Amino acid sequence: MSPLDDLSPIAACCPALTARADIEPYARDWSGRYAHPPHAVLRPGSTAEVAAALRACAAAGFAVVPAGGRTGLCGGAVPRADGPPAVVLSLERMNRIRAVDARDFTITVDAGCTVRAVQEAAAAVDRLFPLSFGAEGTAQIGGALSTNAGGIRTIRWGNARDLVLGLEVVLPDGRVLDDLRRVRKDNTGYALRHLFIGAEGTLGVITGAALKLAPALRARETAFLAVPSPAAALALLDRLASNGAELIGFELIGRWPLELVRRHAPRARLPFALESPWYVLLELGTAAAADLRTPLEAALAAAIEAGEAGEAVIAESEEQRAALWYLREIMPECNRAEAPSVSADTSVPVSAVPAFLAEVEAALAARWPEGKLIAVGHAGDGNVHIALQAPRGTPREAWHRNAEAIEDMVNRIAVAHGGSFSAEHGIGQSKRHAMAALRDPVALDLMRTIKAALDPRGLMNPGKMLP
Amino acid sequence: MSPLDDLSPIAACCPALTARADIEPYARDWSGRYAHPPHAVLRPGSTAEVAAALRACAAAGFAVVPAGGRTGLCGGAVPRADGPPAVVLSLERMNRIRAVDARDFTITVDAGCTVRAVQEAAAAVDRLFPLSFGAEGTAQIGGALSTNAGGIRTIRWGNARDLVLGLEVVLPDGRVLDDLRRVRKDNTGYALRHLFIGAEGTLGVITGAALKLAPALRARETAFLAVPSPAAALALLDRLASNGAELIGFELIGRWPLELVRRHAPRARLPFALESPWYVLLELGTAAAADLRTPLEAALAAAIEAGEAGEAVIAESEEQRAALWYLREIMPECNRAEAPSVSADTSVPVSAVPAFLAEVEAALAARWPEGKLIAVGHAGDGNVHIALQAPRGTPREAWHRNAEAIEDMVNRIAVAHGGSFSAEHGIGQSKRHAMAALRDPVALDLMRTIKAALDPRGLMNPGKMLP
């Protein structure tokens, strides 16, 4: 019997797509680097349907590739050509907000809700769901949890992991782990939720989550400033953090990506000429009706006095604030409009950011002098994204022949500084070789032990994450 | 060969105690409820010695009971009479602060450092290690992580788990997992550290930890007030939290435990007569040089106006602040001085605290009308400790014959409200029956799968946590 003959019991579990044209969008993610069509796309509408689908796939020997908004950058939600025949399990129809409790600062949602839908449901009851990143309008919360997404607010509220109180998970054999707890303190055995968060669907399928909320922000101040160096930016960060400034974002931006914004984003308005090698976009925010402006101005004045900052603007209106954040948000598109680039996803301890950047810049320039360094990211938590961009006109395929070598160079420098080669995008397919090369062998062995114990047949998202 | 003949290769790994008098203190914890002497006490001074000890114990078939300050209340660090012969592995000699990095807001420590030693090392560089609870002067950080300790600051900085960036763990076979990372963002595979945090030594021995620090507090305000009911207390909490008050503690206290403080703590000074059924001790704190007094006074005035609070005092000096906290800290001793009691360790969603307390009070009074309800705890995160106290003069043994029935009654009410029967003390030996009775069977099965995969011979702290 061919794999396709086995499809009928699986497709009977829940609505399914099997026509080639319908399946095509599920063959790839935003990276554009991986593409392979599944045998079918299952679209369950309930936890019970997910459970039935996983039981049927286990019985038929099909691999299950869970997929959310497919905004991943590492091929984690894309089927592979090798291994068992695969179906994509799309959570898109499971998009209910199950409950919002303002008094408890919690929200309980289906895994297929977009991150933005969760933000909006929280805002409707004067609460903030702090997880925020570029793809939030499309990315689904199940995927964001399965990759332990980061983003611009990590400096204040942590990663996706830190926002989870409880999970509902369908296990590889179709059993349902109902661990949707909403308590802040719970020590009843191993912290099972933390196994599935960041596991990229290799241990089961997250179908629901109970999440923490914060009070809605009542005061916000946003500043954009030129800084002479990463070290100066971090001195400013230290000045703010040590004095209890209500930092909710701290982005470090190199000149080149801003130059690309100037070139390719006609709507962008740069507040001043790009004469400095580095820039900082920072934001303070609090739920109190507090004056954040005075302490921000004082901190910036002190920073300018100390030579840590040059020109600086503070947004005077919501419109100006949006315009400043637009500079940051439009960057990936402008980078792509200019020329192909190869990106890493590194983090280092915050104090190591300047040395890390200096070493990366020197090493990349020595080997690929024609490349342009794009450095931009969440410096407040040590997560600066490095990309090396080809000269204009270079074909993507040609530049991407350097991909593994570029990534490896950047990753090794990060790891030498006590850092990580996967800060917030996950491993998927693209960083499995880095896992093999750079992760501690004892840690890898433990991960394989866990995988074998929970998914002994190896049908959950095979060929992802673990090398 | 008897077990004692096997001791020599184990005792050769590291300094060991084998004389009966030396071993005796390691036979019990603070609960006083469990006591059983180990065959020996191993006192390794390094991670390598811990690894050698675990290899030797595995070879000889000895169970390993890791122990820190032995301030646990559930018998987790006490050997058992059943099962394989056991040694206690005490981390007390591993008490080095390995590194403090103020700029990165991190500290890296040996597992045997006391919680207070970590606090003090942080304070020395103008930083705060926020974990704080009654036993902090004796409890060791390895034990605090192994039980995922909570305490009075959870409302602001989370549980012990939330303060961990990386861990060093010796596995049951003696291999060392070196995962002492200090980065804020890291998605390189399964979050192994979260398996060992809260695992009560059943999967391996935590030997080191990289922990998060916060900026030192520059402003603090502490208030003590009478409230008419738990619902009124939570209305005040909501008023403060929704408006971004910098809450770092929110304790709800029943009248009876305060009455016992009045009786048994001559040094205690109650700020006013105990005419209200409930009281709140709350604290605001921030690293900013901010005025917290004005917003606190405004919030208290609004709460009094709304009938949520009656008499209230705000500490006017460090001495007064200490005197207010003394009322809370001396409570366990005063309770013990009065009469024996049976305690639970429950948490519920914050909004469920009033209904939970009302049901508990009614149910306990109906069955044990002679008992006195002690309700005191961290209401800001839904964690109110319930104890039922015997009439004065009742022998401990007599009252503790009710222990399982009292705990079971309180635990079931908590679970019915979506709560937990083990909020911050762990499971140890005392709550294994609750695990069996009240925890989801799928969750229990997953935990057993993980235990069998990581500790296939079952030598790590057997008879603890898992039922």
Side-chain angles (χ1 to χ4, degrees):
Chain A
M1 205 162 60
S2 85
L4 291 175
D5 297 325
D6 288 336
L7 267 179
S8 50
I10 297 171
C13 297
C14 60
L17 308 174
T18 51
R20 184 177 263 279
D22 294 337
I23 285 176
E24 177 54 29
Y26 297 85
R28 62 193 73 247
D29 68 7
W30 274 16
S31 72
R33 195 163 156 185
Y34 304 93
H36 186 74
H39 286 280
V41 176
L42 307 185
R43 299 170 71 243
S46 67
T47 305
E49 284 187 356
V50 174
L54 262 61
R55 277 193 301 271
C57 286
F62 268 80
V64 177
V65 181
R70 300 188 308 285
T71 57
L73 298 170
C74 303
V78 177
R80 286 175 62 95
D82 58 4
V87 297
V88 161
L89 184 93
S90 172
L91 279 293
E92 65 200 293
R93 290 181 58 238
M94 287 189 65
N95 57 5
R96 281 179 315 137
I97 303 287
R98 298 190 192 178
V100 194
D101 194 314
R103 198 74 178 265
D104 287 333
F105 291 87
T106 62
I107 187 167
T108 307
V109 302
D110 278 356
C113 291
T114 63
V115 172
R116 183 165 295 152
V118 181
Q119 293 169 347
E120 288 171 351
V125 294
D126 201 32
R127 295 293 181 251
L128 173 75
F129 180 60
L131 187 65
S132 179
F133 53 92
E136 64 193 24
T138 309
Q140 293 169 16
I141 194 72
L145 297 182
S146 293
T147 54
N148 186 23
I152 58 172
R153 301 300 185 209
T154 304
I155 190 173
R156 173 64 183 86
W157 289 283
N159 299 293
R161 175 184 305 285
D162 301 300
L163 301 171
V164 179
L165 291 169
L167 283 187
E168 180 188 82
V169 180
V170 179
L171 301 177
D173 59 9
R175 285 181 302 164
V176 178
L177 173 68
D178 178 4
D179 213 24
L180 269 179
R181 317 173 139 252
R182 300 195 299 116
V183 284
R184 306 274 159 173
K185 286 183 169 179
D186 178 32
N187 279 331
T188 51
Y190 305 139
L192 298 174
R193 68 185 185 283
H194 284 296
L195 261 185
F196 299 98
I197 300 167
E200 304 187 10
T202 61
L203 299 176
V205 180
I206 295 174
T207 50
L211 304 165
K212 294 182 199 171
L213 301 177
L217 296 179
R218 277 184 186 70
R220 256 167 104 181
E221 294 291 345
T222 310
F224 182 80
L225 49 149
V227 294
S229 66
L234 291 184
L236 170 61
L237 174 69
D238 189 52
R239 179 187 297 280
L240 290 163
S242 296
N243 291 300
E246 307 272 8
L247 267 177
I248 64 170
F250 193 95
E251 303 284 305
L252 179 67
I253 307 171
R255 177 160 56 188
W256 181 243
L258 274 172
E259 172 61 28
L260 296 179
V261 168
R262 206 185 50 71
R263 279 190 202 175
H264 298 288
R267 275 180 51 215
R269 284 167 295 166
L270 287 163
F272 38 72
L274 297 177
E275 287 165 358
S276 188
W278 294 95
Y279 299 83
V280 164
L281 175 59
L282 70 85
E283 193 157 273
L284 309 186
T286 172
D291 167 32
L292 298 175
R293 182 70 174 234
T294 308
L296 176 60
E297 287 177 347
L300 291 185
I304 291 168
E305 175 78 21
E308 294 159 9
E311 286 184 283
V313 293
I314 300 178
E316 299 286 347
S317 65
E318 281 302 319
E319 197 195 342
Q320 284 185 16
R321 186 197 324 285
L324 290 179
W325 277 106
Y326 179 74
L327 299 176
R328 172 72 182 87
E329 284 153 10
I330 201 67
M331 269 174 198
E333 284 177 47
C334 298
N335 295 349
R336 233 168 285 153
E338 173 77 10
S341 55
V342 171
S343 306
D345 174 31
T346 45
S347 69
V348 292
V350 177
S351 64
V353 166
F356 166 72
L357 285 173
E359 280 179 47
V360 160
E361 185 162 20
L364 291 175
R367 179 135 167 217
W368 294 279
E370 72 278 26
K372 283 284 208 177
L373 180 71
I374 296 175
V376 53
H378 324 303
D381 34 61
N383 173 207
V384 180
H385 293 285
I386 300 292
L388 193 68
Q389 189 166 52
R392 217 166 173 170
T394 311
R396 182 182 153 93
E397 300 68 38
W399 192 245
H400 272 256
R401 277 196 285 275
N402 303 315
E404 236 174 88
I406 293 171
E407 288 171 21
D408 190 59
M409 181 176 279
V410 177
N411 290 345
R412 283 181 190 277
I413 296 171
V415 170
H417 282 282
S420 169
F421 55 86
S422 174
E424 58 175 7
H425 296 164
I427 304 296
Q429 302 183 50
S430 67
K431 297 200 183 70
R432 282 171 78 209
H433 64 278
M435 283 286 273
L438 298 172
R439 196 74 170 90
D440 172 48
V442 176
L444 283 177
D445 189 63
L446 260 183
M447 291 181 204
R448 289 196 185 99
T449 299
I450 292 163
K451 168 76 173 174
L454 269 65
D455 179 28
R457 297 182 58 199
L459 293 176
M460 290 308 306
N461 212 6
K464 313 296 168 59
M465 205 179 82
L466 291 172
Chain B
M1 207 161 58
S2 85
L4 290 175
D5 296 328
D6 289 336
L7 267 178
S8 51
I10 297 172
C13 297
C14 60
L17 307 174
T18 50
R20 185 178 260 280
D22 295 338
I23 284 176
E24 177 54 30
Y26 298 86
R28 61 193 75 245
D29 67 7
W30 273 16
S31 71
R33 194 163 158 186
Y34 304 94
H36 185 74
H39 285 279
V41 176
L42 307 186
R43 300 171 70 242
S46 67
T47 304
E49 284 188 356
V50 174
L54 262 62
R55 278 194 300 272
C57 287
F62 269 80
V64 177
V65 180
R70 299 189 308 286
T71 58
L73 298 172
C74 304
V78 177
R80 285 176 62 94
D82 58 3
V87 298
V88 161
L89 185 93
S90 171
L91 279 294
E92 66 201 291
R93 289 182 58 240
M94 287 188 66
N95 58 4
R96 280 179 314 137
I97 302 288
R98 297 191 192 177
V100 193
D101 194 313
R103 198 74 178 264
D104 287 333
F105 290 87
T106 62
I107 187 168
T108 307
V109 302
D110 278 356
C113 291
T114 64
V115 172
R116 182 164 295 151
V118 181
Q119 293 168 347
E120 289 171 351
V125 295
D126 201 31
R127 295 293 182 252
L128 174 74
F129 180 60
L131 187 65
S132 179
F133 52 93
E136 64 193 24
T138 309
Q140 294 170 16
I141 195 71
L145 298 181
S146 293
T147 54
N148 185 25
I152 57 173
R153 300 300 184 209
T154 304
I155 191 172
R156 173 64 182 86
W157 289 284
N159 298 293
R161 176 185 304 286
D162 302 300
L163 301 172
V164 178
L165 291 169
L167 283 187
E168 180 187 82
V169 180
V170 179
L171 301 177
D173 59 7
R175 285 181 302 165
V176 178
L177 173 68
D178 178 4
D179 213 25
L180 269 179
R181 317 173 140 253
R182 298 194 302 115
V183 285
R184 305 274 160 173
K185 287 183 167 178
D186 178 32
N187 278 331
T188 51
Y190 306 138
L192 299 174
R193 68 184 183 282
H194 284 296
L195 261 185
F196 298 99
I197 300 167
E200 304 187 9
T202 61
L203 300 176
V205 180
I206 295 174
T207 50
L211 304 164
K212 295 182 198 170
L213 301 177
L217 296 179
R218 276 183 188 70
R220 255 169 106 181
E221 293 291 346
T222 309
F224 182 80
L225 49 149
V227 294
S229 67
L234 291 184
L236 170 62
L237 174 68
D238 189 52
R239 180 187 296 279
L240 290 163
S242 297
N243 290 301
E246 308 271 8
L247 267 176
I248 63 170
F250 192 94
E251 303 285 305
L252 178 67
I253 307 172
R255 178 161 52 188
W256 181 244
L258 274 172
E259 171 62 27
L260 296 180
V261 168
R262 204 184 53 70
R263 279 190 202 174
H264 298 288
R267 274 182 50 216
R269 283 167 296 166
L270 287 164
F272 37 71
L274 297 178
E275 286 164 0
S276 187
W278 293 95
Y279 298 83
V280 164
L281 175 60
L282 69 85
E283 192 157 273
L284 308 186
T286 172
D291 167 31
L292 298 176
R293 181 71 174 233
T294 308
L296 176 59
E297 286 176 347
L300 291 185
I304 291 168
E305 175 77 22
E308 294 159 10
E311 285 184 284
V313 293
I314 301 178
E316 299 287 348
S317 65
E318 280 303 318
E319 197 195 342
Q320 285 185 14
R321 187 197 324 286
L324 290 178
W325 276 106
Y326 179 73
L327 299 176
R328 172 71 182 89
E329 286 153 11
I330 201 67
M331 269 175 197
E333 283 177 49
C334 298
N335 295 347
R336 232 168 288 153
E338 173 75 10
S341 55
V342 171
S343 307
D345 174 31
T346 46
S347 69
V348 293
V350 177
S351 64
V353 166
F356 166 73
L357 285 173
E359 282 180 46
V360 160
E361 186 161 19
L364 291 176
R367 179 135 168 217
W368 293 280
E370 73 278 26
K372 284 285 208 176
L373 180 71
I374 296 176
V376 53
H378 324 302
D381 35 60
N383 174 206
V384 179
H385 294 285
I386 300 291
L388 194 67
Q389 188 165 53
R392 217 166 174 174
T394 311
R396 183 182 153 93
E397 301 67 39
W399 192 244
H400 272 256
R401 278 196 285 274
N402 303 315
E404 236 174 88
I406 292 170
E407 288 172 21
D408 190 60
M409 181 176 279
V410 177
N411 290 344
R412 284 182 189 277
I413 296 171
V415 169
H417 282 282
S420 169
F421 56 85
S422 173
E424 58 175 5
H425 296 164
I427 304 297
Q429 303 183 50
S430 67
K431 297 199 183 69
R432 282 171 79 208
H433 65 277
M435 284 286 273
L438 298 172
R439 197 73 171 91
D440 173 48
V442 176
L444 283 178
D445 190 63
L446 260 183
M447 291 181 204
R448 290 197 186 97
T449 300
I450 291 163
K451 169 75 175 176
L454 268 66
D455 179 27
R457 296 182 59 200
L459 292 177
M460 291 307 306
N461 212 6
K464 312 296 169 60
M465 206 179 81
L466 292 172

